[in-house]
Amino acid sequence: MAIFRKDPCGFFCILMTYGAVLYADYVVVRWIILQTMQGSLWGSVHVFLFNTIILLLFLSHARAVFSDPGIVPLPTHRIEFSDSHSDGGSIAPREDWTICTRCEMYRPPRAHHCRICKHCIRKMDHHCPWINNCVGERNQKYFIQFLLYVGLLSMYAVCLVAWSWYTDCQGCAKDKRIHETRVLHSILVSMESFLFGLFVITIACDQFVGIFSDETMVEQVKKQGSFRPRKPKLALLAEVFGRGHPVMWVFPCETGQRYTVEPILNYDV
Ligand SMILES: [Zn+2]
Ligand SMILES: [Zn+2]
């Protein structure tokens, strides 16, 4: 199910992401590689590698943005919850299911309500404006891949800028303006890479701490995850990244069933 939230903050963050990545690509190709590696095979190799990371970054971002994060479908007939202590006489589909008074339905364990998405999301981690979507059971993998690609691209850009200072720039020697423009773009792209790089690496670390402790961000705040039995780390990673070969975990594609499919709720049954 392709979805897109009408959230101004989400629109702004997505445009900013695209602008920042395309600006970094422009600077690296036009002002770093073309100025210092023109005619060399290394120049072509770096253009290819840098743009391959950008392609994977955009693909994982698009899947994180447009994927269903794990919306719990609304029942065919909603229950009237007159007060929060009553379940209206209805019986939960299973013992461990809880009530969402906003959706007026029972929801599976680990599902939480997102006020921006206006739905209960399975294994909801948090709502992220950078993907204009919730991070939940079905798209956490793409979200983490997006973070890792942004981190990798930032480090790559900083390395290329740093390396370019030790290389002759033919255009810069002839024209002072070319030299000044290159310096300005290099400083801007380095600052951008440091800022975004540190930001995404911090969030990625939080994500992996959450996966290994088997607790989503919501559960950490509400202190709901500590009672769960401990599982091996590889099994916890496979729950997020799929049961395919671990090499495939870094690619933005579907690799084996990662989640359970819940039946459509119908309280008449
Ligand atoms: Zn809900
Ligand atoms: Zn949400």
Side-chain angles (χ1 to χ4, degrees):
M1 182 181 12
I3 40 164
F4 195 79
R5 321 255 167 249
K6 293 187 183 88
D7 174 30
C9 178
F11 277 122
F12 175 76
C13 286
I14 286 184
L15 283 180
M16 202 169 139
T17 307
Y18 275 67
V21 172
L22 293 176
Y23 173 70
D25 195 26
Y26 163 73
V27 173
V28 163
V29 174
R30 169 73 181 82
W31 293 100
I32 308 292
I33 295 174
L34 274 181
Q35 293 296 333
T36 57
M37 288 180 241
Q38 202 169 20
S40 111
L41 180 67
W42 279 113
S44 312
V45 170
H46 285 306
V47 169
F48 175 75
L49 288 178
F50 200 78
N51 283 279
T52 303
I53 298 172
I54 290 180
L55 178 72
L56 289 168
L57 184 157
F58 280 143
L59 285 175
S60 55
H61 184 255
R63 292 201 84 150
V65 171
F66 296 107
S67 292
D68 166 7
I71 292 173
V72 182
L74 291 172
T76 44
H77 294 90
R78 294 198 195 188
I79 308 171
E80 195 64 45
F81 292 105
S82 49
D83 75 85
S84 59
H85 303 292
S86 158
D87 64 359
S90 302
I91 302 157
R94 281 173 215 167
E95 226 173 57
D96 49 358
W97 285 44
T98 54
I99 293 166
C100 175
T101 48
R102 292 191 186 88
C103 298
E104 296 175 346
M105 65 168 192
Y106 287 102
R107 63 188 171 190
R110 307 193 76 180
H112 290 276
H113 189 87
C114 173
R115 289 173 194 203
I116 300 167
C117 297
K118 295 186 178 70
H119 275 288
C120 277
I121 311 290
R122 293 179 59 89
K123 220 173 158 189
M124 177 187 167
D125 192 75
H126 67 288
H127 186 94
C128 176
W130 296 97
I131 58 165
N132 191 32
N133 201 357
C134 256
V135 176
E137 188 178 62
R138 295 191 186 193
N139 68 344
Q140 189 182 17
K141 165 184 162 171
Y142 304 122
F143 176 68
I144 295 174
Q145 285 172 349
F146 167 65
L147 297 176
L148 295 178
Y149 287 129
V150 173
L152 188 64
L153 199 73
S154 302
M155 284 193 279
Y156 199 174
V158 169
C159 289
L160 284 173
V161 170
W163 186 82
S164 74
W165 290 117
Y166 297 99
T167 323
D168 288 334
C169 165
Q170 290 157 358
C172 303
K174 286 184 209 145
D175 191 335
K176 205 172 164 227
R177 270 181 309 172
I178 293 181
H179 174 70
E180 284 169 356
T181 315
R182 189 184 142 219
V183 170
L184 180 73
H185 280 310
S186 297
I187 292 171
L188 285 177
V189 92
S190 300
M191 282 167 57
E192 181 197 322
S193 302
F194 266 117
L195 211 74
F196 276 89
L198 280 178
F199 181 56
V200 293
I201 288 167
T202 310
I203 303 175
C205 286
D206 280 347
Q207 288 287 306
F208 282 107
V209 167
I211 291 171
F212 292 135
S213 58
D214 202 10
E215 258 186 333
T216 62
M217 242 182 232
V218 175
E219 289 164 348
Q220 284 170 26
V221 173
K222 295 187 176 178
K223 303 202 184 322
Q224 289 180 339
S226 48
F227 58 87
R228 234 169 272 126
R230 294 203 71 74
K231 295 178 193 166
K233 284 186 175 173
L234 210 61
L236 290 166
L237 281 173
E239 274 182 19
V240 175
F241 291 97
R243 314 216 180 276
H245 194 279
V247 170
M248 297 307 291
W249 288 353
V250 295
F251 296 105
C253 54
E254 216 29 272
T255 49
Q257 187 73 28
R258 289 175 286 120
Y259 41 81
T260 44
V261 179
E262 292 295 340
I264 301 284
L265 301 178
N266 187 345
Y267 298 124
D268 285 350
V269 178

